Structure formats: structure tokens, C-alpha cells
């Protein structure tokens, strides 16, 4: 492939990918006035048009085109059933730009998030965006600042995802150290325990992997963990809420909620109100306006911190299985480094307690996973296989 074609494909990728990140990012910005939803939909619709033109203008091999058609049909079906553009756009980006280098995906994500984060902080300082105060669901009176985002966890998690990009592309430890320091400072303002613990933990693991002797010793355990981690996190997320919903081992789940801030109670309330469908045709408005009874009080909708519970409730079991396959494909890709596996494990674990798998932070992992789906065996093996 000529350098001119590579450059053109990279430019077209940026033209489609950056607006999509911006659209998702805008949803996390705490605007005081105006209906940002219309702008977000307009951006996503524009991205869809650009992607469709890219599909038409690209020369395809038979197998590649068949996979694209299948992916487009699945994404379009999700769009028609739920009104959600996410899967349609992500599948198209992964298929149309399957030959764009992975480092480009990480770097473009990093640069766009740095720019949008800086813009958010400036707009918050100018008073255009709100500094929302949030409180934990354990009735804590400690206020947590959002600094222009809709929730106090947003900014700390953005820093965490930036670190995963740096680690996945083998950046030097100075940048990782700076991001760790920023995360610790943010903890004093945003009070996001999950983000600071997993960020510092990941930076320490990355430091250990720099030592060849330690790397060789933990290579097999790391491979084993990366093979099983998605399954374990799905079970850990869903099982407590499901058993509580069924009234099984309630005393254990009461104790569980003391540690994990009422997560089994919220999950049980969601299962009771939304059910556990194979395929869910509920749109976002229906999701946010469904009456949900939480500890005897009625709410419109429910905020679910776990990405895996959200996938089941919002899209159904079938989409959760698809997500499982995508993440499985990511950790099975050829020539994946130990650094990438460490970052992957951290992302999967983080989403048991923060719902970000369908947001801008996880886009590189989802896109790379989808583009590797045709390269893995159709038979899904959770724990076995070469690494």
C-alpha cells in the first residue's frame, strides 16, 4: 500500500473517529443551558453518512465485504430496536478502517480526550459548565466535585483511560508517572476511589513489567488472568444482584453492599423493573423513564455503575455475549504484549464498578476487538487457548 493511500485512510479515519469521540464526550459535559442531545445526534448522523460513503468508496475482498455486511446489519438492527447509534458506528469504524494501525487509534483517542478535557476545565472555570456536586449512595455527606462533567468520576476515569493508552503503546514511564500523580491529586477533589486505586495499581504493574525477570515470572499468570477476567467480572457483576432479586442469601448481599456501595441493591431493583431479556427493544427514553423501586422509593430509571449489568438491562443477554466475544477477541489478537494485557485487564475490572465500556474511554479496545473477531475461532473458549 502506497504512502499516499495510507495517509488518506488515516485522514478519513480521523474525520470519522474524532467527531464520534466528541459526540460521546459532549454527553458527559455538564452544560447549564441548551439541549445538547440534538447536537450529539446530528454529529453521530454525520459520522454515519461519512462511514457509509467510505464503505461505498472502498474496494473489498469477498470475505471482508461479507463480514462488513453482517456487521452493518447487526449494528442497523440494534439502531432500529433501541435507537442507539453506538454499535452501528463502532462496527463500521472497525470494519472500514481495519488496516489503520492500532497505535493511531490509541494516539488519536489520547489527543482528542486531552483536547476535550482541557476545553471542559476551561468552560467550567468560565462558568459555562457546572461543577456538579455528587454524593455516594451510602448516604455519605462528603461532596465530590465534577469540575465541569456530569459526575465526579468522569475526570478521574478519563485520566485512567489515558494511562491505558500510554501503557498499550509502550510509552515511557515518565508519562505514566505524571498521570498517576494527576490521578492522586484529583482524588482530593473528585473523591473517586475506584479510579485512583486501579490507576495506581496499573502503574505499579506496568513498572514491574519493565523488569525482564519479573515479566517472565508473571507472564503465565497474566495470560491466565486475561483469558478469564471477562467471565469473572461478568459473573461478579451480575450474580449478586440476581441472587438478591431472587431473595437468595440476602444477608451476604447486605454485607456485600457495605463494601461496594449498594451495588447489589441497585442491580436487583433494575432486574425487577426491566427484567433480563434475551434481546431488549427498549430505547433510551424508555430506559430513563421506567419506574424503578429502590429501597422502597420510586425513581425514574436507575444509574447502574457496572457496564455488564447495564448491557443486560439495556440491550439484553445477546448483546452481553457479543461484548464478551469482542473483549475475548482483543486479548487473543496476535502479538499482544504483556503491557497491553495489563491495560486490558485493568479496563475490564474497572467496568465492574464504573459503566464506561460504551463510552469514549473504551473505544480503542472495542474497535480493536471487533476488527479481530473474524480472526478467532467461532467456538468461544473462555479459559483455554494459546496466548
Amino acid at each position: 500500500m502506497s504512502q499516499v493511500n495510507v495517509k488518506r485512510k488515516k485522514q478519513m479515519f480521523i474525520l470519522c473517529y474524532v467527531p464520534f469521540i466528541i459526540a460521546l464526550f459532549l454527553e458527559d459535559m455538564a452544560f447549564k443551558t441548551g439541549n445538547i442531545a440534538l447536537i450529539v445526534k446530528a454529529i453521530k448522523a454525520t459520522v454515519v453518512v461519512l462511514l457509509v460513503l467510505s464503505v461505498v468508496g472502498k474496494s473489498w475482498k469477498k470475505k471482508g465485504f461479507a463480514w462488513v455486511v453482517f456487521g452493518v446489519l447487526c449494528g442497523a438492527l440494534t439502531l432500529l430496536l433501541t435507537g442507539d447509534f453506538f454499535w452501528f458506528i463502532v462496527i463500521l469504524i472497525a470494519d472500514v478502517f481495519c488496516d489503520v494501525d492500532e497505535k493511531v487509534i490509541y494516539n488519536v483517542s489520547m489527543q482528542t480526550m486531552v483536547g476535550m478535557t482541557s476545553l471542559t476545565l476551561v468552560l467550567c472555570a468560565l462558568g459555562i459548565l457546572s461543577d456538579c456536586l455528587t454524593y455516594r449512595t451510602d448516604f455519605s455527606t462528603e461532596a465530590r466535585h465534577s469540575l465541569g462533567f456530569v459526575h465526579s468520576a468522569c475526570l478521574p476515569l478519563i485520566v485512567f483511560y489515558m494511562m491505558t493508552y500510554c501503557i498499550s503503546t509502550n510509552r515511557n514511564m515518565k508519562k505514566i508517572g505524571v498521570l498517576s500523580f494527576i490521578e492522586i491529586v484529583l482524588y482530593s477533589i473528585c473523591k473517586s476511589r475506584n479510579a485512583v486505586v486501579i490507576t495506581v495499581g496499573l502503574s505499579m504493574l506496568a513498572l514491574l513489567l519493565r523488569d525482564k525477570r519479573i515479566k517472565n515470572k508473571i507472564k503465565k499468570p497474566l495470560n491466565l488472568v486475561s483469558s478469564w477476567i471477562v467471565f469473572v467480572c461478568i459473573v461478579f457483576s451480575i450474580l449478586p444482584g440476581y441472587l438478591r432479586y431472587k431473595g437468595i442469601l440476602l444477608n451476604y448481599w447486605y454485607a456485600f453492599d457495605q463494601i461496594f456501595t449498594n451495588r447489589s441493591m441497585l442491580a436487583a431493583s433494575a432486574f425487577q423493573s426491566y427484567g433480563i431479556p434475551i434481546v431488549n427493544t427498549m430505547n433510551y427514553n424508555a430506559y430513563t423513564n421506567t419506574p424503578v423501586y429502590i429501597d422502597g422509593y420510586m425513581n425514574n430509571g436507575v444509574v447502574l455503575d457496572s457496564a455488564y449489568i447495564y448491557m443486560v438491562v439495556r440491550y439484553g443477554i445477546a448483546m452481553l455475549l457479543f461484548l464478551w466475544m469482542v473483549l475475548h477477541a482483543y486479548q487473543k489478537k496476535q502479538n499482544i504484549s504483556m503491557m497491553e494485557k495489563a491495560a486490558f485487564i485493568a479496563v475490564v475490572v474497572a467496568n465492574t464498578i464504573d459503566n464506561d465500556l460504551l463510552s469514549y474511554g473504551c473505544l480503542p479496545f472495542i474497535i480493536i476487538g471487533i476488527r479481530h473477531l473474524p480472526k478467532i475461532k467461532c467456538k468461544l473458549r473462555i479459559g483455554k487457548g494459546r496466548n
Side-chain angles (χ1 to χ4, degrees):
M1 188 183 295
S2 68
Q3 290 295 322
V4 175
N5 286 336
V6 171
K7 188 175 180 180
R8 285 178 180 173
K9 286 187 176 181
K10 181 180 176 181
Q11 289 173 342
M12 194 63 193
F13 167 74
I14 292 171
L15 187 62
C16 294
Y17 188 52
V18 171
F20 185 47
I21 297 175
I22 292 172
L24 295 176
F25 205 102
L26 287 171
E27 294 175 329
D28 272 355
M29 294 169 68
F31 288 94
K32 292 182 178 180
T33 58
N35 189 357
I36 199 68
L38 294 176
I39 298 174
V40 169
K41 286 182 179 179
I43 295 173
K44 290 180 181 178
T46 304
V47 171
V48 168
V49 172
L50 291 172
L51 286 169
V52 170
L53 291 175
S54 299
V55 171
V56 174
K58 184 176 179 178
S59 57
W60 296 92
K61 294 180 180 180
K62 287 185 178 179
K63 287 185 178 179
F65 186 70
W67 179 253
V68 170
V69 171
F70 175 73
V72 168
L73 289 175
C74 291
L77 182 62
T78 306
L79 174 60
L80 290 172
L81 292 176
T82 67
D84 193 339
F85 280 94
F86 183 86
W87 288 108
F88 186 68
I89 293 175
V90 166
I91 290 170
L92 274 176
I93 289 175
D95 289 340
V96 173
F97 303 108
C98 58
D99 44 5
V100 172
D101 190 82
E102 290 179 7
K103 285 189 176 181
V104 173
I105 299 175
Y106 286 119
N107 290 337
V108 172
S109 296
M110 181 78 167
Q111 292 163 10
T112 308
M113 285 172 62
V114 168
M116 291 301 294
T117 302
S118 302
L119 177 63
T120 302
L121 293 174
V122 170
L123 293 178
C124 180
L126 295 174
I128 298 172
L129 298 178
S130 301
D131 178 19
C132 303
L133 297 180
T134 63
Y135 301 86
R136 301 187 193 281
T137 57
D138 58 359
F139 307 106
S140 171
T141 57
E142 184 180 46
R144 303 183 293 171
H145 294 267
S146 71
L147 302 179
F149 292 91
V150 294
H151 194 278
S152 58
C154 291
L155 183 54
L157 285 169
I158 287 171
V159 174
F160 161 68
Y161 286 114
M162 287 180 181
M163 178 177 284
T164 64
Y165 304 159
C166 289
I167 290 173
S168 296
T169 52
N170 285 315
R171 299 283 179 88
N172 60 56
M173 287 303 298
K174 288 182 180 179
K175 291 182 179 179
I176 295 171
V178 169
L179 289 171
S180 296
F181 176 75
I182 293 172
E183 189 72 88
I184 293 170
V185 172
L186 283 175
Y187 178 71
S188 64
I189 304 169
C190 304
K191 299 293 189 298
S192 177
R193 295 176 301 190
N194 304 332
V196 72
V197 169
I198 202 159
T199 300
V200 173
L202 178 58
S203 63
M204 291 175 66
L205 180 57
L207 184 62
L208 291 174
L209 288 172
R210 295 280 178 175
D211 188 297
K212 289 185 178 180
R213 289 179 299 176
I214 296 176
K215 180 180 177 180
N216 290 331
K217 288 182 180 180
I218 65 175
K219 183 176 181 180
K220 286 186 177 180
L222 201 65
N223 285 335
L224 181 64
V225 171
S226 68
S227 295
W228 281 93
I229 193 64
V230 180
F231 173 75
V232 170
C233 287
I234 289 174
V235 172
F236 179 80
S237 297
I238 293 175
L239 192 62
Y242 180 76
L243 293 179
R244 180 163 178 164
Y245 164 55
K246 292 295 184 179
I248 301 172
L249 302 174
L250 289 178
N251 288 334
Y252 288 98
W253 307 128
Y254 295 150
F256 177 90
D257 280 359
Q258 293 296 317
I259 302 171
F260 294 101
T261 323
N262 298 322
R263 279 174 168 78
S264 79
M265 179 180 69
L266 294 172
S269 299
F271 293 149
Q272 183 177 20
S273 300
Y274 297 103
I276 308 175
I278 301 297
V279 176
N280 201 342
T281 59
M282 175 177 55
N283 61 33
Y284 187 73
N285 285 333
Y287 172 74
T288 54
N289 291 307
T290 297
V292 179
Y293 289 89
I294 303 173
D295 200 24
Y297 296 93
M298 192 191 82
N299 297 268
N300 285 329
V302 59
V303 177
L304 295 169
D305 290 328
S306 170
Y308 310 107
I309 298 175
Y310 179 77
M311 282 294 296
V312 169
V313 171
R314 176 78 171 85
Y315 298 100
I317 295 172
M319 284 304 295
L320 178 64
L321 292 175
F322 176 72
L323 177 66
W324 184 357
M325 292 174 64
V326 168
L327 295 174
H328 178 77
Y330 180 93
Q331 65 93 20
K332 283 291 183 182
K333 67 191 182 80
Q334 288 185 344
N335 302 319
I336 184 171
S337 67
M338 289 296 103
M339 286 289 199
E340 286 179 281
K341 288 202 172 187
F344 168 77
I345 291 168
V347 168
V348 173
V349 171
N351 276 278
T352 61
I353 42 185
D354 284 295
N355 181 11
D356 282 308
L357 274 176
L358 305 188
S359 188
Y360 45 88
C362 290
L363 280 179
F365 301 95
I366 299 295
I367 289 170
I368 294 169
I370 290 173
R371 64 156 60 169
H372 282 87
L373 272 176
K375 300 175 186 177
I376 66 170
K377 293 182 179 179
C378 293
K379 183 179 178 182
L380 186 62
R381 297 179 297 175
I382 1 176
K384 297 182 179 180
R386 295 188 298 272
N387 289 285

